Every structure is written in C-alpha cells, then in structure tokens.
Amino acid sequence: MRPRVFFDFAIGTEPAGRVIFELYNDTAPKTTENFRALCTGEKGLSAVSERPLYYKNSIIHRSIRDFMIQGGDFTKRNGAGGESIYGRPNTNGSQFFVTLRDCPHLNGKHVVFGRVIRGYDEVIKKLAVVPVDEKDRPQHPIVIVNCGELELKRKVEASQGEELSVEIPSRRRHSSRSRSRSSDHGRSTQKKKKSKRRKHASKEDVNTDDEVRKNEDEKVPRQESEEEYDARLEREEQERLEEAKRKELERIKRKYESTPPATEGGVRFKGRGRMKFIDPELHHRR
C-alpha cells in the first residue's frame, strides 16, 4: 500500500481541518520519501541549516486562486528557502504545491508525487480563498500546525516459537472399583454410568479444542484492510473535529463568563440593535 501522510492546517488561530495525501512511492520513490520524512520530522536537525527537517509550523507562503497553493519553505518562509533530507544540490528541496485544477502546461517540468485523498473540498478550497496581497502572499497566516504519517493498525503479533498451553482439568481414576455381583441389572446400570462419564469427557475435550482454536485465532496477526483503514481515518477525523468544536465552545463560554457586561450611565448595552433615547421629562408630560 502507498504511504499516507497528513497536514493539520490553521488559518490564523482557527483550525481549518486535516488534509490526507497518498504518495506515489512506486513511481517517484526518492521524492515521496523526502516528503514523507519531512512530514514526520524523523531526520532531526539539518547539518546545513541547523533547522529541524520538519514541515510542522511552516506556512503556505503563496496562493494563486484557481491554480495552486504553495508551501514547504521551513527555513526562510518566503519561497526562497527549504531543504531536502538528502542535503545535496538538485534534490528538489522541500517546497511543494497543491494544484487546484488540471495543469497540463506543467507536464515534464514538475514531479507529481502524490494526490489529496481527503480534505480537498473541506480544507484545500477553504485555504485557496484566503485573501492575498499583490505578491500572492496570504494576508492571514496559513500554518501547518501538525503533520505526520498514517499507518495501518495491526493486532499484537505472537512471538515466534511461542506455544499455546491450555490446562485440561485432570480426571482422577479410583484405584479400586466396586464390582457388583448381585444381578444383571446392577451391571447394566454400571455400564450406563460409565458411558455417561465417557460422553461427558468427550464434551469436555470438544470444549477444550474449541478454546485452543479460539486462542490460536486470537494470536494470529490480522492486518487492517484498506476499507477498514479509510473508515477508521474518517471516524478519527470526525472525533477530532468534535473535540476541537467542544474546546472552542468551552473557550467562548469561559471568555463570556469572565467578561463583565458593558454599562454606561446606568444603561446596559446589549447586542447590536438600535437604541432610542427617550427624554424622561417629555415622556412624563405626555
């Protein structure tokens, strides 16, 4: 499966949402590995710039409506910097852009190394309409507040060579058995009891085998399917949005409770509605 990475964007201080990218490591392995590692920050500090090789807290420094948004310059933050994990010339640096429409005129000039698989309509389009200045720089900072790689969840694998051991209740056999010599009825009764005991023992064996098979099934590692992976990502994204909404409502509530109502001359101002002054003397005369 192709690797997937994510950006959590914010416009100013307001969260804008998460964008998930699928990377084409089968067609552009070096470029995708550079982008993936810059999303995780796993390479640490750069030996050249002494800055973290990490997209986190970098900005979208250029936005052209109906064309693209550009970011990835974590050194100079203006489009003149950036650095790849390879630390060599002609290795594409760290800058990237997300196209907003088909761009056939770029064929043969740029490396296409991935696509947006989630968050295009909800987030990318929102970022693309942020007002810009005469140099196409967003007037409100668009920040990558968090980023990383998404991985498939796997069940805990059993260690190699581990054997399953199930305790089977011991069945004690009496050393001495009472033999009945009285009648055939006594012998038939004893045989029936023995057959019942054997039947009960076989049921216990079946139950024990079922338990062994169940434990073996639990130990077998199962990798998450792509459908389960997508469903989990969608569920986690919804939970993250609900949690962010709850925190924002709590912040607004605390701000409202800590701010005393504005008053002036005994008159309390509420809302933005029009206020009409009434002269008490004229009103009293009427």
Side-chain angles (χ1 to χ4, degrees):
M1 179 180 287
R2 290 170 169 173
R4 296 182 178 185
V5 295
F6 70 91
F7 285 165
D8 287 336
F9 284 101
I11 302 174
T13 58
E14 297 296 325
R18 172 169 291 186
V19 177
I20 299 177
F21 304 93
E22 181 183 66
L23 306 182
Y24 300 158
N25 62 335
D26 50 342
T27 58
K30 290 184 178 180
T31 305
T32 55
E33 175 58 20
N34 181 53
F35 189 80
R36 186 201 64 80
L38 292 174
C39 287
T40 63
E42 63 192 54
K43 300 299 182 179
L45 292 177
S46 164
V48 179
S49 64
E50 297 184 352
R51 290 177 177 269
L53 294 167
Y54 199 13
Y55 283 137
K56 186 175 181 179
N57 295 324
S58 64
I59 63 171
I60 298 297
H61 60 267
R62 187 180 180 214
S63 176
I64 302 177
R65 185 167 295 190
D66 297 327
F67 176 36
M68 60 86 178
I69 59 173
Q70 185 174 355
D73 182 1
F74 51 79
T75 58
K76 296 185 178 180
R77 301 168 69 89
N78 60 4
E83 187 179 350
S84 78
I85 62 172
Y86 304 112
R88 301 188 306 273
N90 303 320
T91 51
N92 288 340
S94 58
Q95 293 191 43
F96 62 89
F97 59 83
V98 180
T99 57
L100 306 176
R101 59 175 174 82
D102 291 339
C103 301
H105 63 284
L106 299 180
N107 291 343
K109 299 178 182 179
H110 295 271
V111 178
V112 178
F113 63 92
R115 66 187 180 104
V116 176
I117 62 173
R118 188 160 300 168
Y120 182 82
D121 292 330
E122 304 86 351
V123 184
I124 295 295
K125 288 186 176 180
K126 188 190 304 182
L127 305 181
V129 298
V130 173
V132 298
D133 61 14
E134 66 278 1
K135 293 185 178 180
D136 299 320
R137 296 175 299 192
Q139 294 181 347
H140 304 287
I142 302 175
V143 185
I144 302 173
V145 294
N146 194 20
C147 54
E149 182 177 9
L150 300 171
E151 295 181 351
L152 292 175
K153 282 187 175 179
R154 296 180 181 179
K155 289 189 175 181
V156 179
E157 298 183 1
S159 59
Q160 294 182 354
E162 182 180 357
E163 295 181 355
L164 297 176
S165 60
V166 179
E167 288 187 4
I168 301 176
S170 60
R171 303 181 186 88
R172 294 182 180 178
R173 293 185 179 181
H174 296 284
S175 57
S176 61
R177 297 180 181 178
S178 60
R179 299 180 179 178
S180 174
R181 301 178 181 177
S182 58
S183 63
D184 293 338
H185 175 71
R187 286 193 294 272
S188 63
T189 303
Q190 189 176 10
K191 288 180 180 179
K192 286 181 180 179
K193 289 182 179 180
K194 288 182 180 180
S195 64
K196 285 183 179 180
R197 283 197 297 269
R198 284 195 295 270
K199 187 176 181 181
H200 180 66
S202 64
K203 286 183 178 180
E204 287 182 353
D205 294 337
V206 171
N207 292 336
T208 304
D209 293 339
D210 292 339
E211 291 177 359
V212 173
R213 283 194 294 271
K214 182 179 179 182
N215 290 333
E216 289 177 349
D217 292 339
E218 290 178 352
K219 291 289 184 179
V220 174
R222 187 182 69 85
Q223 186 170 351
E224 194 176 34
S225 67
E226 188 166 355
E227 291 77 12
E228 293 172 337
Y229 177 57
D230 290 335
R232 176 173 62 82
L233 291 182
E234 187 171 353
R235 183 176 65 254
E236 291 176 353
E237 175 67 7
Q238 187 64 28
E239 292 173 355
R240 189 183 66 83
L241 292 176
E242 291 177 356
E243 179 66 16
K245 183 179 179 181
R246 183 186 63 80
K247 290 182 179 179
E248 180 64 15
L249 290 175
E250 289 180 354
R251 185 188 68 80
I252 295 174
K253 182 179 179 182
R254 289 194 300 269
K255 182 178 178 181
Y256 176 78
E257 291 176 349
S258 61
T259 304
T263 59
E264 183 178 340
V267 179
R268 181 174 179 176
F269 296 93
K270 290 181 62 178
R272 299 178 60 187
R274 186 178 62 178
M275 299 184 66
K276 183 178 179 182
F277 176 75
I278 299 178
D279 191 335
E281 295 183 359
L282 294 176
H283 184 71
H284 180 69
R285 291 175 186 175
R286 293 178 184 175

